[in-house]
Amino acid sequence: MHKFSFSFMNVIEEAGEVLIKPVSFFKDLSKAPEESLISLYLRCLIYMSFLYAVAVISTTLLAPNEFPSPSLIFLFFEMPTAYLLASFLIFPILGFLYMFFSWICGGNTGWKKNFRAGTASLSVFWAILLLQSFGGLIHIYLGMWIGIAFTAYVPFLFFLALTSYLKAPVKRTAIVLSLFMIVLLYLQYSRMNSYMKDHKIVENVNSQKSTTIEKEKQEERETMEIIRKAMEKAKAEEQR
């Protein structure tokens, strides 16, 4: 049985449950007592702190070698401040987004249940983004395919939350979320296409730079060789 009462350890366990066993989690979530707005926000804040930790790891340990290292002020002051401020936006946005989809699909539109579903969905974002960053470090296309899988996984979580927890009709929810997934995949494709174009431009620039550097080195070697031969010739003439 899942532990739905608010505590730091329960929140961490919930993230694992949503990631590994989302179907049973959202079924059991309907049996959980309602929580206050403060505890719901604190759940969101904890998951935002996980996202911040993943962002730090992604920009330091998992960043490509050609990327410059961020400053300590940016990592430990500007970034956490930004994530803290973002939590005040993400928390209501997720809740109202669930309320909107639940209203369209014919489910429960109570704000506490929808905000609870929103925080539960947010619990897995950090793990998936960490996996995507790690995959991107191995190969750029691996990171992209993980991103595509994540894009399809979000509507799946929405579907489970709407049908199992918010009691929305299955057929209508499936149709609505299928359209939602198509939009998300199109946006993901557009972003990937733009990223690949930028990546190719950077590769071409780096290739041109390496070619130019190689030419300069070759010219330098040729110049040194000419100077060496001239000096040898001068020494030979002096000896005569």
Side-chain angles (χ1 to χ4, degrees):
M1 183 67 182
H2 304 285
K3 298 178 181 178
F4 294 111
S5 58
F6 177 77
S7 70
F8 183 75
M9 291 306 300
N10 286 349
V11 170
I12 295 176
E13 290 178 7
E14 178 174 307
E17 293 288 339
V18 176
L19 186 64
I20 299 172
K21 298 184 290 185
V23 177
S24 62
F25 174 83
F26 281 108
K27 283 183 179 179
D28 292 341
L29 186 59
S30 58
K31 305 172 186 176
E34 290 187 348
E35 295 186 29
S36 65
L37 184 64
I38 295 176
S39 65
L40 289 174
Y41 171 72
L42 290 176
R43 286 179 183 273
C44 174
L45 189 61
I46 291 172
Y47 295 138
M48 289 297 294
S49 67
F50 291 170
L51 286 172
Y52 159 69
V54 170
V56 172
I57 294 172
S58 299
T59 54
T60 53
L61 299 178
L62 300 181
N65 294 329
E66 61 268 17
F67 278 60
S69 300
S71 64
L72 294 178
I73 295 177
F74 176 76
L75 287 176
F76 299 110
F77 178 72
E78 294 179 2
M79 279 184 67
T81 302
Y83 274 83
L84 175 62
L85 296 176
S87 67
F88 292 108
L89 294 175
I90 291 176
F91 176 61
I93 286 173
L94 275 175
F96 287 123
L97 187 63
Y98 262 101
M99 290 177 69
F100 174 72
F101 276 102
S102 187
W103 172 68
I104 292 177
C105 298
N108 190 319
T109 55
W111 69 268
K112 282 190 176 181
K113 282 186 173 292
N114 283 275
F115 275 57
R116 183 68 179 89
T119 57
S121 299
L122 182 63
S123 66
V124 300
F125 279 44
W126 65 273
I128 297 172
L129 291 178
L130 180 62
L131 182 62
Q132 185 177 4
S133 298
F134 183 73
L137 184 64
I138 296 174
H139 197 280
I140 182 173
Y141 287 108
L142 178 59
M144 287 184 175
W145 280 110
I146 293 174
I148 293 173
F150 177 42
T151 303
Y153 183 69
V154 170
F156 173 68
L157 282 182
F158 268 64
F159 177 80
L160 293 178
L162 288 168
T163 55
S164 299
Y165 180 52
L166 300 173
K167 307 303 180 184
V170 174
K171 289 184 179 180
R172 190 194 301 183
T173 304
I175 294 172
V176 171
L177 291 182
S178 295
L179 297 175
F180 179 52
M181 184 172 65
I182 291 172
V183 173
L184 286 180
L185 289 174
Y186 174 75
L187 294 175
Q188 178 76 357
Y189 168 77
S190 300
R191 189 173 70 88
M192 286 174 54
N193 190 40
S194 176
Y195 180 81
M196 287 302 300
K197 288 180 180 178
D198 294 340
H199 183 70
K200 287 181 180 179
I201 291 173
V202 172
E203 282 187 337
N204 291 334
V205 171
N206 291 336
S207 177
Q208 291 175 0
K209 284 183 178 179
S210 61
T211 303
T212 303
I213 293 172
E214 186 62 31
K215 286 183 178 179
E216 290 177 353
K217 288 182 178 179
Q218 181 65 26
E219 290 175 356
E220 185 178 349
R221 286 194 293 266
E222 291 175 355
T223 302
M224 293 299 294
E225 183 65 19
I226 293 171
I227 294 172
R228 186 184 64 80
K229 289 181 178 180
M231 292 178 66
E232 289 178 353
K233 185 177 180 181
K235 286 181 180 179
E237 290 179 353
E238 287 178 359
Q239 290 176 358
R240 290 177 185 176

